[in-house]
Amino acid sequence: KSGGSTGAPVYSLYSWTDYHEQMLWTAHGMVAAGLDPAKDRVINCYLAGYLYGSLISFWTILETLRVPQLPMAMVDDFDYVVEVIEKQRPNTILGMPSYILSLFTKHQKRLKGKIEKVFYGGEKLTAAQHNFLTETCGVSIVRSAIYGSNDAGPMGYQCPHCVGGQHHLLSALHKLEIVDLIEDKPVPVGEVGRLILTPLVREYPKVNRYEIGDTGRWLAEPCPCGRTDPRFELVGRTGDLFKVTGIFLNYRRFVDLLETKLNYEGLLQIHLKEEERVAVLEVWISQPSNGVDAKAVEEILLENYPDLTFGRNMGSTLIVWVRIVEDKDFVRNKASGKLTPVCDQRKVKQ
């Protein structure tokens, strides 16, 4: 079952043949990303339960590679997780960025020098968050474990030359089209469009031209790693856009502004509410490591996001607040464990 991040949950069926074929190619992708089956020992912190497939999929992938693994799952007892890491000595961790960042933030000193590799998935990792893990926490390798979805399966992998959202296409499994954001036509190389996937080896059910909900662009240059699988770069989610007081705002814009202006590496979540006839936009962040307070963050957003400022000044129908909250208080999807980017609590007219 999918997490239902962008709508109603979707149930997906896989034949045993399809499942193991996909996990085999994903295993190749993880080796390309830097996992060493001969030396690495992994703690698997992906979510389990609610018919969600992340932990059990990576269990199969690591079993295929014969890598020792600790099936921790996404438990919220960080003290226990660190205790297990200290006793069992895994050097690699798999999990959601928001979970891994919260774990390292709480136990930075105890974890430093113990975890060498972080392989993440399910959420985007910003440059500031990447630097926090490498420069502050001493992690050597921070890369995407795999780019995939519950419905389409694994779709892309990283090599040492892929940065940010760049991935090689798992071309043995998929055909990828990148089409215009509005029209169903291919975009030129380098331009942003919607990602459309067609699995090439899937017995049942057949999936044709599945729109994954992500946006991205083709990368024209051959990869220095020498692999011939084409490369693409993820840019964002089609669901990052939301409307308030008649204005479209972009969740990713909030993230990028705090990263570039504050070097902020924590979590960020938007909460939309109503107070009588006034819309309230709350920006939830975790405590910035540089000690910047909520008012300063609010001023940075209003000074650098003209659409947000326009909405606030348009007849005073929009109130913008910034709240600093504990990591445990952020809203996460119950099934997938992913951070919910935009929480819309406004009443819908009947």
Side-chain angles (χ1 to χ4, degrees):
K1 183 170 80 72
S2 73
S5 303
T6 56
V10 175
Y11 293 84
S12 297
L13 304 176
Y14 290 87
S15 70
W16 283 115
T17 299
D18 290 342
Y19 174 75
H20 285 288
E21 179 81 2
Q22 292 184 11
M23 297 307 104
L24 174 62
W25 283 105
T26 307
H28 284 293
M30 288 208 66
V31 171
L35 183 70
D36 187 343
K39 299 179 180 178
D40 290 338
R41 185 179 178 90
V42 177
I43 181 166
N44 185 347
C45 291
Y46 277 109
L47 192 70
Y50 300 101
L51 302 185
Y52 197 63
S54 56
L55 184 137
I56 58 175
S57 294
F58 278 98
W59 172 274
T60 304
I61 292 160
L62 295 170
E63 182 184 23
T64 299
L65 294 170
R66 293 295 187 264
V67 174
Q69 61 175 307
L70 305 170
M72 176 59 67
M74 197 172 170
V75 301
D76 57 6
D77 186 348
F78 288 159
D79 293 336
Y80 174 69
V81 175
V82 174
E83 181 183 327
V84 170
I85 290 173
E86 290 172 336
K87 289 183 178 179
Q88 301 297 330
R89 301 192 303 276
N91 70 322
T92 301
I93 185 170
L94 298 177
M96 298 280 187
S98 58
Y99 179 84
I100 293 173
L101 288 166
S102 296
L103 177 67
F104 273 89
T105 298
K106 183 171 183 180
H107 291 295
Q108 181 180 319
K109 291 182 180 179
R110 290 176 66 183
L111 287 174
K112 191 167 185 177
K114 295 181 174 64
I115 297 295
E116 303 170 23
K117 303 177 183 181
V118 167
F119 295 106
Y120 64 89
E123 299 168 333
K124 184 176 180 180
L125 191 75
T126 69
Q129 292 167 344
H130 183 282
N131 292 340
F132 167 71
L133 292 172
T134 55
E135 297 175 10
T136 304
C137 302
V139 180
S140 301
I141 293 176
V142 179
R143 293 200 184 102
S144 165
I146 202 70
Y147 169 55
S149 79
N150 185 73
D151 313 308
M155 299 173 286
Y157 64 93
Q158 288 197 326
C159 73
H161 300 279
C162 291
V163 297
Q166 297 176 355
H167 288 77
H168 285 276
L169 176 67
L170 273 168
S171 53
L173 296 178
H174 293 284
K175 173 187 175 183
L176 171 63
E177 303 170 69
I178 302 182
V179 303
D180 186 79
L181 294 172
I182 305 298
E183 301 180 55
D184 196 15
K185 63 179 183 180
V187 297
V189 172
E191 289 192 13
V192 175
R194 295 173 288 124
L195 271 57
I196 308 291
L197 270 295
T198 299
L200 300 176
V201 286
R202 187 161 179 173
E203 291 180 341
Y204 177 81
K206 293 293 183 181
V207 178
N208 185 52
R209 303 194 75 241
Y210 176 74
E211 183 167 352
I212 198 65
D214 289 327
T215 59
R217 56 181 162 235
W218 288 113
L219 300 175
E221 302 80 8
C223 186
C225 76
R227 292 178 176 85
T228 57
D229 286 330
R231 286 192 304 162
F232 60 96
E233 182 177 19
L234 297 171
V235 175
R237 294 283 295 174
T238 54
D240 285 344
L241 287 174
F242 60 93
K243 191 175 184 179
V244 60
T245 65
I247 297 169
F248 281 102
L249 299 173
N250 193 323
Y251 167 81
R252 188 54 53 188
R253 180 73 172 137
F254 288 84
V255 175
D256 292 343
L257 276 174
L258 293 196
E259 179 185 0
T260 55
K261 300 296 181 180
L262 282 178
N263 197 34
Y264 174 68
E265 72 273 1
L267 308 181
L268 189 150
Q269 190 168 64
I270 303 291
H271 287 256
L272 302 175
K273 304 177 181 180
E274 287 179 333
E275 291 189 1
E276 295 182 352
R277 294 184 299 276
V278 178
V280 178
L281 189 154
E282 287 188 4
V283 181
W284 287 20
I285 61 172
S286 44
Q287 179 64 58
S289 57
N290 56 9
V292 174
D293 62 21
K295 188 63 178 178
V297 174
E298 181 182 315
E299 290 174 356
I300 286 173
L301 291 173
L302 291 170
E303 288 172 3
N304 295 277
Y305 200 163
D307 291 341
L308 182 63
T309 306
F310 176 78
R312 192 193 66 163
N313 295 338
M314 190 177 63
S316 299
T317 58
L318 174 64
I319 296 175
V320 179
W321 287 335
V322 174
R323 290 183 57 190
I324 296 176
V325 301
E326 297 288 332
D327 283 6
K328 63 181 178 60
D329 294 328
F330 283 85
V331 178
R332 289 178 168 83
N333 184 282
K334 188 176 182 180
S336 68
K338 295 179 184 178
L339 188 74
T340 304
V342 180
C343 301
D344 194 342
Q345 296 149 32
R346 296 172 293 183
K347 294 180 181 178
V348 179
K349 291 183 180 180
Q350 299 297 325

